[in-house]
Amino acid sequence: QVQLVESGGGSVQAGGSLRLSCAVSGATVSRYCLGWFRLAPGKEREGVVYIDSAGTTRYADPVKGRFTISRDNAKNTLYLQMNSLNPEDTATYYCAARWIGRNCYTPRTRPDEYNYWGQGTQVTVSS
């Protein structure tokens, strides 16, 4: 059973930083497509950043240059370093994993391509 557990959310002021973690069990993170998504009140779920087995990443335009995704294969954990946060980044952040029976060769950007999700962690940025 694949399980994803996010942590690291919290409340920060604009310009601050947070580091989210996603601990994965029941899966080898280096073989999965992985991604971070977010959901803000009144908005649709939005993709933030994605990574494939080779470490190739894709970032959504609103977070380019501010957010960094990384993966620790030894700890089976995915991270999201968020810098220069602004109030528009306020949302519940979810990590997601996609497994199709082989390594992930291309970062996947659509939520419906992922079959495992964490419970989410809240990030609140005040101005």
Side-chain angles (χ1 to χ4, degrees):
Q1 182 73 16
V2 177
Q3 290 188 322
L4 291 74
V5 179
E6 301 97 335
S7 61
S11 297
V12 296
Q13 290 191 328
S17 299
L18 282 174
R19 187 193 193 203
L20 306 184
S21 299
C22 175
V24 180
S25 59
T28 302
V29 294
S30 61
R31 301 198 67 193
Y32 281 59
C33 294
L34 300 169
W36 286 97
F37 295 81
R38 64 187 182 185
L39 181 61
K43 296 184 179 180
E44 294 186 354
R45 182 167 45 186
E46 176 187 28
V48 176
V49 58
Y50 327 94
I51 187 170
D52 68 9
S53 295
T56 301
T57 58
R58 288 185 63 181
Y59 290 84
D61 286 343
V63 306
K64 282 181 180 177
R66 301 188 298 122
F67 290 12
T68 303
I69 190 172
S70 62
R71 184 181 65 207
D72 187 326
N73 294 337
K75 295 183 178 180
N76 231 32
T77 300
L78 182 71
Y79 300 98
L80 181 63
Q81 178 66 44
M82 305 186 295
N83 298 328
S84 301
L85 285 162
N86 59 61
E88 290 69 39
D89 296 315
T90 295
T92 301
Y93 284 72
Y94 299 88
C95 64
R98 164 187 166 96
W99 175 246
I100 55 171
R102 56 171 173 79
N103 283 9
C104 174
Y105 296 119
T106 303
R108 298 295 179 174
T109 62
R110 299 199 324 261
D112 63 0
E113 295 181 290
Y114 289 81
N115 42 11
Y116 300 102
W117 292 83
Q119 83 289 350
T121 186
Q122 178 66 37
V123 171
T124 303
V125 185
S126 58
S127 58

